[in-house]
Amino acid sequence: MKPSHRTFFTGIIFASALSLSAHSAFAASAKLEGVFTDWSVYSKSEGNDRICYALAKPSTKAPKSVNHGDIYFMVANWKSGAAKEQPSLLTGYSLKVEVPPSARVGSAKTPMYSAQNEAFIESDTDEKKLVRAMRKGSNMRVDAMSARGTQTSYEFSLRGITAALRKAKTVCQ
């Protein structure tokens, strides 16, 4: 996906995520399509396009002594095809650009890059590898650094990810 699409997507999801509480629907403009164990699926219309995404909150956050704000990991599809199973991390704080975040499922580590308060994966090949690993794994760890220099870590349960991804894809066909 082109950076302009990623930035556009970031704004849409960030605005919606601000109103999300644990397993409740987004603001009226986003529709809860289903809950699959630890993952929820939402859809949102933007202009002539529709975005469908699987979303989870972390099961653990470290360090416990800091205010992380709202943290989400999502995998998005655009009906137009602008994105297919695009993973990203959304944080409640600005990320340090010089220290790239990373996602780890099992022993496979995937580097990310940050754009303000969201992290993406640079290559389509790495996106596909991570999503494949997520489907097979039980937990995912994401490490990031805040713009202030605080090292953070999040554990996400992957229970329900396969069914959630299937639903997100179906809703955006």
Side-chain angles (χ1 to χ4, degrees):
M1 177 186 293
K2 295 181 173 137
S4 61
H5 282 108
R6 289 183 196 261
T7 303
F8 177 70
F9 179 65
T10 300
I12 291 168
I13 299 303
F14 181 68
S16 298
L18 289 176
S19 64
L20 182 70
S21 61
H23 294 289
S24 67
F26 277 68
S29 62
K31 179 183 175 193
L32 176 64
E33 299 287 351
V35 176
F36 303 88
T37 312
D38 295 325
W39 289 77
S40 299
V41 175
Y42 293 89
S43 66
K44 180 173 178 57
S45 294
E46 278 302 320
N48 294 330
D49 210 349
R50 183 176 177 126
I51 305 162
C52 306
Y53 44 94
L55 177 86
K57 293 184 88 167
S59 52
T60 63
K61 300 176 188 178
K64 292 182 180 190
S65 60
V66 301
N67 179 2
H68 296 265
D70 292 325
I71 307 295
Y72 305 98
F73 198 89
M74 62 191 94
V75 181
N77 291 294
W78 289 53
K79 187 171 185 171
S80 67
K84 295 282 186 198
E85 294 189 338
Q86 178 193 46
S88 63
L89 172 73
L90 180 68
T91 63
Y93 54 87
S94 294
L95 295 165
K96 188 168 197 152
V97 176
E98 301 83 11
V99 182
S102 65
R104 181 185 302 272
V105 178
S107 62
K109 184 176 179 181
T110 305
M112 303 178 86
Y113 72 91
S114 58
Q116 299 173 353
N117 67 323
E118 194 163 12
F120 294 99
I121 296 169
E122 189 74 40
S123 83
D124 292 340
T125 301
D126 285 345
E127 284 182 343
K128 289 175 186 168
K129 284 181 186 175
L130 177 60
V131 172
R132 233 182 349 262
M134 289 170 70
R135 283 187 167 103
K136 294 177 183 176
S138 58
N139 289 297
M140 176 175 60
R141 178 185 169 124
V142 180
D143 295 311
M145 184 172 286
S146 75
R148 293 181 178 180
T150 304
Q151 183 63 50
T152 59
S153 179
Y154 306 102
E155 293 282 336
F156 294 88
S157 166
L158 297 174
R159 292 181 309 153
I161 186 65
T162 300
L165 291 173
R166 198 173 311 130
K167 179 68 171 183
K169 182 178 179 181
T170 300
V171 171
C172 260
Q173 286 184 338

